[in-house]
Amino acid sequence: MKLKRFLKSLINNFLFIINAILWIFNMNSLGEMATGIQVGKTRKEKLIYGLCSFLQYITYATIVGLIITIWWWYKGETSIAEKISGLHMSGGK
């Protein structure tokens, strides 16, 4: 689960523009398609999570933000985007 979660987050963060286009067409993000892990069920929840993921991506510009996020993933805790948005993962067993 930790590896799938890491891959989903990595894919979604680095391909943010493509995921925004997929959101417009009401499709799952590339990370969700690749791993089966889904965050948010409705279009609004996915938008909130996407915006929070973008904020998380910006924190990667600071090494501290990247280190904290990787540490939380390693411990199995929620990411910055999940903490801010209040949404949680589902699926991806």
Side-chain angles (χ1 to χ4, degrees):
M1 177 69 167
K2 288 180 184 179
L3 179 60
K4 277 188 171 185
R5 179 185 188 169
F6 176 75
L7 290 175
K8 178 195 83 65
S9 295
L10 194 65
I11 291 167
N12 284 339
N13 283 309
F14 289 113
L15 301 174
F16 179 78
I17 299 299
I18 294 171
N19 285 333
I21 293 168
L22 290 174
W23 177 83
I24 290 169
F25 292 106
N26 203 23
M27 298 175 65
N28 288 336
S29 69
L30 294 173
E32 291 172 348
M33 286 189 241
T35 63
I37 296 174
Q38 187 173 17
V39 179
K41 301 212 183 286
T42 67
R43 204 170 155 89
K44 181 181 176 183
E45 287 178 344
K46 288 182 179 192
L47 173 64
I48 292 169
Y49 182 72
L51 292 174
C52 293
S53 292
F54 184 64
L55 180 63
Q56 175 177 302
Y57 180 71
I58 291 170
T59 66
Y60 292 166
T62 66
I63 298 299
V64 174
L66 179 61
I67 291 170
I68 289 171
T69 300
I70 291 173
W71 176 251
W72 284 339
W73 288 338
Y74 175 75
K75 290 177 50 182
E77 294 182 18
T78 58
S79 66
I80 293 170
E82 290 174 71
K83 289 178 188 296
I84 294 171
S85 69
L87 300 171
H88 302 285
M89 294 186 319
S90 63
K93 295 177 182 177

